[in-house]
């Protein structure tokens, strides 16, 4: 009898920020006044209904009291790129936002930022972005093929996953042709993407993004 062919696993990447070089030329100017509790961009508690319980989760936007305001100063650092990051969220350019809305319209949420140069002149168009699509690890991780992956139980029984390098994690073939962009509950704040998203970013010549190849 002919052996059953194994379905190939598509390529996935840990999609992140290129932190090499100088710091960025802008900073969040009103972080302490965005929320009554002074938590800046981040919603607290992180998992209001219990760890791993959706739909509320750490990467949702809270109801900000003000619009996030970014202060730009050329003397502070390098020019802003299409993708920057803070506290698990992204700052994205108009070009990056348009690409995400075209490729993955249901995976992200956006909030427009007020931007200004220290001179008082209006700054470039920038958006606060969060990847809000979350998948459960038991649905998408190939545990046998992942290298050095361990599981830790949380108080409510849902697992967290630990790996020396997140790129040692291997995803299952069942992810093929489904999400281009997602997070995995239990793998921290990492954002993952498929080959299609990587190719789209490269074709658009977007700056500031690095792609760490996941185990295959």
């Amino acid at each position: 009898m002919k052996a059953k062919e194994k379905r190939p696993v598509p390529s996935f990447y840990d999609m992140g920020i290129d932190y090499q070089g100088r710091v960025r030329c802008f900073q969040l100017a009103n972080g302490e006044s965005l929320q009554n509790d002074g938590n800046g961009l981040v919603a607290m508690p992180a998992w209001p209904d219990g760890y791993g319980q959706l739909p509320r989760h750490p990467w949702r936007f809270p109801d900000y009291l003000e619009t996030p305001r970014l202060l730009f100063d050329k003397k502070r650092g390098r020019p802003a790129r299409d993708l920057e990051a803070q506290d698990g969220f992204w700052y994205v350019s108009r070009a990056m936002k348009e690409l995400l809305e075209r490729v993955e319209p249901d995976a992200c949420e956006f909030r427009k930022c007020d931007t200004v140069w220290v001179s008082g002149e209006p700054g470039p168009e920038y958006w606060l972005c969060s990847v809000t699509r979350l998948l459960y690890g038991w649905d998408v991780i190939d545990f046998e093929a992942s290298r050095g992956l361990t599981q830790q139980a949380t108080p409510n029984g849902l697992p967290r996953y630990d790996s020396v390098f997140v790129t040692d994690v291997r995803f299952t073939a069942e992810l093929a042709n489904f999400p281009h962009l997602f997070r995995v509950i239990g793998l921290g704040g990492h954002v993952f993407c498929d080959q299609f998203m990587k190719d789209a970013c490269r074709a658009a010549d977007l700056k500031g993004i690095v792609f760490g190849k996941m185990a295959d």
Side-chain angles (χ1 to χ4, degrees), residues 42 65 69 107 148:
V42 181
L65 302 176
R69 185 171 67 254

Side-chain angles (χ1 to χ4, degrees), residues 26 83 105 107 110:
F26 69 87
L83 191 65
F110 301 92

Side-chain angles (χ1 to χ4, degrees), residues 73-148:
D73 185 353
K74 293 180 180 178
K75 296 180 180 179
R76 189 174 187 273
R78 57 168 170 72
R81 304 168 302 187
D82 294 291
L83 191 65
E84 303 286 355
Q86 182 173 345
D87 299 332
F89 296 134
W90 287 347
Y91 295 115
V92 299
S93 66
R94 180 177 182 180
M96 184 74 199
K97 177 177 181 287
E98 290 177 347
L99 181 143
L100 293 172
E101 289 178 321
R102 183 176 73 252
V103 175
E104 274 290 43
D106 300 322
C108 302
E109 292 182 357
F110 301 92
R111 296 288 187 275
K112 184 119 183 239
C113 295
D114 288 337
T115 64
V116 62
W117 289 98
V118 290
S119 63
E121 298 177 1
E125 182 178 338
Y126 241 50
W127 295 75
L128 185 64
C129 170
S130 180
V131 177
T132 55
R133 173 184 286 141
L134 271 66
L135 306 178
Y136 283 102
W138 56 66
D139 289 330
V140 299
I141 296 175
D142 185 336
F143 294 97
E144 292 185 359
S146 297
R147 298 188 291 266

Side-chain angles (χ1 to χ4, degrees), residues 164-183:
V164 176
F165 301 104
V166 73
T167 49
D168 285 342
V169 175
R170 178 172 177 167
F171 294 126
T172 65
E174 283 68 27
L175 271 175
N177 301 319
F178 175 54
H180 298 306
L181 192 69
F182 58 95
R183 300 182 195 259

Side-chain angles (χ1 to χ4, degrees), residues 12-82:
F12 291 98
Y13 300 87
D14 178 22
M15 182 175 175
I17 312 302
D18 184 358
Y19 286 105
Q20 295 184 4
R22 300 166 61 200
V23 299
R24 64 189 183 217
C25 69
F26 69 87
Q27 60 184 328
L28 180 63
N30 61 338
E32 293 185 356
S33 56
L34 289 177
Q35 301 184 69
N36 286 325
D37 54 17
N39 280 326
L41 296 172
V42 181
M44 296 297 288
W47 293 98
D49 304 313
Y51 175 75
Q53 300 298 321
L54 301 177
R56 298 195 292 176
H57 57 76
W59 300 283
R60 73 197 190 283
F61 289 132
D63 293 326
Y64 296 129
L65 302 176
E66 303 175 1
T67 301
R69 185 171 67 254
L70 306 181
L71 181 63
F72 285 75
D73 185 353
K74 293 180 180 178
K75 296 180 180 179
R76 189 174 187 273
R78 57 168 170 72
R81 304 168 302 187
D82 294 291

